[in-house]
Amino acid sequence: MTQELVSLTIIMAVAAVSPIVAQLIPGKFIPQTVLLLAAGTALGPYGLGVIEVNDAVKLLNELGMAFLFLLAGYEIDPKRLAGHQGKVGLLTWGITLGLAWLVVTFLPFFTKQGINGVATVIALTTTALGTLMPILKERNLEGTPIGDAIISYGTWGELGPILAMAILLSTRTGWQTMLVLGAFLAICLLCAMLPTKALRTGHRLYRFLTENANTSSQTLMRLTTFLLIFLVTISALFELDAVLGAFAAGFILRYIIPDGSKSLEMKLEGVGYGFLIPVFFVVSGAAINVRAVASRPALLVAFIVMLMLIRAVPVYVALSLDKRKNPLSSHHRVTVALYCTTALPIIVAVTSLAVKVGTMQSDTASTLVAAGAITVFLMPLLGSITYQVADIHPVTAVREIAHTPSDWRTIVREHAQVRALLHHQDRLKRMAETLKSLEKQERLNGLDSRRAELVERARLEIDRQLKELGLDPQLTTQLPHNYRYPKN
């Protein structure tokens, strides 16, 4: 027991220090998740060896992964899946899966590396939506057109591989797999329908649960935790991966509470991001064999490149072909595609399963997990860069500078002003929408009155900047994202 407590103490020390270190890094370009993974690698069995991955730590690791996928499933709006962008996201993921199968099956490199199996195909199609959500919140992308696109395409990048794992990696025959999945689906439907019916009928039990949600009983939190562990246990009994049960629990929770619950969300995030999820990332880092990764650099680089080609390119093409419904600039489409190439939790799950059944060597699994860990750092970084320069229209700026080199300072300043203006407009739009929602709920208090004042000040600031750019605020209330200065 002493060693388990020592390992857990070190893990939680890393979890406590990581956000402080991330805050101190200039530009905040390294997500906390990367620091957790790096610390796990350095302190784990293949590093200094001060963290021992024993049974107790493994259990907390499994619960951490379960909470991560619970929160990922909860972020998914069923209406989004059925909507236009959701359907395009599903089609795009299907194309990604086909491309991954062709590449892994027929490219000699993967055959020589001994990873031309289904597990590698699935790993190449994933998006770490659960890992991305806190990053999107940190970078104020949640609720923006870019954030919505990332969630829409990332939803199928997470849900698709989970279903593929259940179907394609099963050791049962086809009809047995379908029978088991059908039984699991029936249990999930029952878990979703009973609370929904109680909600609609105003059942006494439901009233009791909601009235005691914020007391010492914590009824809703306890029921949510029970739902999560129950479906993870059912997954284990049906010999399905725990990821499926956890994701289903989050999806069911969103179905029961379609408008969300701030109180419940804060508690889930407190338990998840405050305790269990950091354990999962540190232990995932501890599973990386640095020597094995260093001995196969070609596989590491090739896997990251293949992730970008197989996952990012189809997302970019889909967004480009769907410009009427999703009018994003080319830079912003690149941003979405890069964020959607972030991968880790599914890679951890699928490689662990492949090693367990003997279809993948542990050294190879370490290399693929390391590649996934690198994408958690690399893809949001590249996406952040493209997002920052998108509205500056660098190509247009270069052309203008080439036309009149002597005015390069003025051209750069004007393009930077456009970018700043668009950034202010995005923030204004989100503030106005929030204010409008609060007004509808007739809950406008002193704090929100100050927010209304900020909105009005932001409107005045935009009018001022429009005038500086030579535009009439009365005629130009919304500067389009494809705005171009006239050539000098």
Side-chain angles (χ1 to χ4, degrees):
M1 179 62 72
T2 303
Q3 182 57 49
E4 284 87 343
L5 289 173
V6 170
S7 295
L8 184 57
T9 300
I10 295 172
I11 290 171
M12 293 316 300
V14 170
V17 171
S18 292
I20 300 173
V21 175
Q23 182 72 18
L24 293 175
I25 296 173
K28 304 176 186 177
F29 65 93
I30 299 182
Q32 297 176 35
T33 304
V34 175
L35 299 176
L36 294 171
L37 291 164
T41 304
L43 301 176
Y46 300 106
L48 298 177
V50 295
I51 294 177
E52 181 181 314
V53 185
N54 44 52
D55 290 341
V57 173
K58 285 180 180 178
L59 177 59
L60 290 175
N61 173 58
E62 290 292 323
L63 288 174
M65 183 169 67
F67 255 86
L68 181 66
F69 281 97
L70 168 76
L71 292 171
Y74 180 74
E75 292 290 346
I76 296 174
D77 184 355
K79 294 179 182 178
R80 191 190 299 273
L81 289 178
H84 171 78
Q85 204 166 46
K87 294 175 182 177
V88 175
L90 173 59
L91 177 62
T92 304
W93 182 80
I95 293 171
T96 300
L97 182 66
L99 288 174
W101 180 81
L102 289 172
V103 168
V104 172
T105 303
F106 296 105
L107 197 66
F109 175 81
F110 285 96
T111 304
K112 291 178 182 177
Q113 297 290 334
I115 54 170
N116 56 338
V118 176
T120 308
V121 172
I122 295 173
L124 285 168
T125 66
T126 181
T127 296
L129 184 62
T131 305
L132 281 176
M133 289 311 302
I135 297 175
L136 296 181
K137 291 177 182 178
E138 288 173 9
R139 298 181 178 179
N140 297 317
L141 289 175
E142 193 177 29
T144 66
I146 293 173
D148 291 342
I150 292 170
I151 293 174
S152 293
Y153 285 88
T155 293
W156 285 109
E158 188 122 64
L159 180 57
I162 290 172
L163 296 175
M165 285 173 62
I167 298 171
L168 301 178
L169 294 180
S170 174
T171 56
R172 303 181 181 90
T173 60
W175 70 270
Q176 289 175 326
T177 299
M178 291 298 112
L179 186 63
V180 168
L181 287 175
F184 180 79
L185 177 60
I187 293 173
C188 290
L189 289 174
L190 187 64
C191 291
M193 297 306 296
L194 287 178
T196 304
K197 186 175 181 180
L199 171 63
R200 289 173 180 170
T201 58
H203 196 275
R204 265 188 320 179
L205 177 60
Y206 180 81
R207 291 199 301 272
F208 169 79
L209 294 175
T210 52
E211 289 169 0
N212 290 273
N214 295 314
T215 66
S216 59
S217 300
Q218 291 294 319
T219 48
L220 290 182
M221 183 64 185
R222 293 185 188 185
L223 278 176
T224 301
T225 307
F226 166 72
L227 174 67
L228 171 64
I229 296 176
F230 171 70
L231 289 180
V232 168
T233 303
I234 293 296
S235 299
L237 292 174
F238 285 178
E239 296 182 3
L240 299 169
D241 196 273
V243 168
L244 180 61
F247 198 84
F251 196 76
I252 290 170
L253 188 63
R254 172 59 73 179
Y255 177 79
I256 297 171
I257 317 174
D259 297 326
S261 169
K262 291 295 182 183
S263 175
L264 181 60
E265 289 166 19
M266 288 180 64
K267 295 168 189 174
L268 289 173
E269 290 179 355
V271 174
Y273 293 118
F275 176 34
L276 294 171
I277 294 175
V279 174
F280 166 70
F281 283 119
V282 172
V283 174
S284 297
I288 298 174
N289 186 340
V290 179
R291 291 186 180 87
V293 174
S295 66
R296 307 180 73 178
L299 176 59
L300 180 72
V301 174
F303 192 78
I304 294 173
V305 171
M306 284 299 116
L307 271 171
M308 296 184 71
L309 292 176
I310 292 172
R311 184 69 184 136
V313 172
V315 171
Y316 178 84
V317 172
L319 286 168
S320 300
L321 295 176
D322 196 34
K323 287 176 67 175
R324 286 189 177 180
K325 294 286 185 178
N326 299 289
L328 297 176
S329 68
S330 59
H331 292 80
H332 286 159
R333 295 198 295 272
V334 171
T335 299
V336 174
L338 288 170
Y339 271 100
C340 287
T341 314
T342 304
L344 182 67
I346 290 291
I347 294 180
V348 172
V350 74
T351 54
S352 299
L353 186 58
V355 170
K356 188 183 297 183
V357 299
T359 58
M360 184 180 291
Q361 296 179 352
S362 59
D363 288 355
T364 303
S366 285
T367 305
L368 299 190
V369 170
I374 290 173
T375 65
V376 175
F377 162 70
L378 183 62
M379 300 307 168
L381 174 62
L382 295 176
S384 178
I385 292 172
T386 57
Y387 179 71
Q388 292 295 326
V389 304
D391 295 324
I392 298 176
H393 302 297
V395 175
T396 305
V398 169
R399 289 174 181 169
E400 292 174 3
I401 291 171
H403 186 260
T404 53
S406 59
D407 293 338
W408 70 270
R409 289 187 181 85
T410 303
I411 293 169
V412 170
R413 185 176 65 254
E414 289 176 343
H415 279 261
Q417 285 177 336
V418 171
R419 193 262 169 197
L421 177 58
L422 292 173
H423 178 69
H424 285 312
Q425 284 187 325
D426 286 338
R427 295 190 65 182
L428 172 63
K429 183 179 178 181
R430 292 198 296 272
M431 291 168 68
E433 287 176 351
T434 302
L435 185 64
K436 186 177 180 181
S437 174
L438 290 172
E439 287 173 344
K440 285 183 178 179
Q441 298 172 18
E442 297 180 351
R443 292 190 307 178
L444 196 63
N445 53 32
L447 176 64
D448 293 314
S449 295
R450 288 195 294 273
R451 183 183 295 174
E453 182 182 348
L454 289 174
V455 170
E456 183 59 31
R457 288 171 61 185
R459 287 196 181 104
L460 293 174
E461 174 65 15
I462 285 181
D463 287 350
R464 184 186 68 79
Q465 292 194 32
L466 284 168
K467 290 177 181 177
E468 286 186 0
L469 295 172
L471 300 172
D472 185 354
Q474 301 299 321
L475 302 176
T476 312
T477 57
Q478 178 74 17
L479 189 65
H481 279 272
N482 61 352
Y483 176 84
R484 296 290 188 277
Y485 282 103
K487 291 185 182 289
N488 295 317

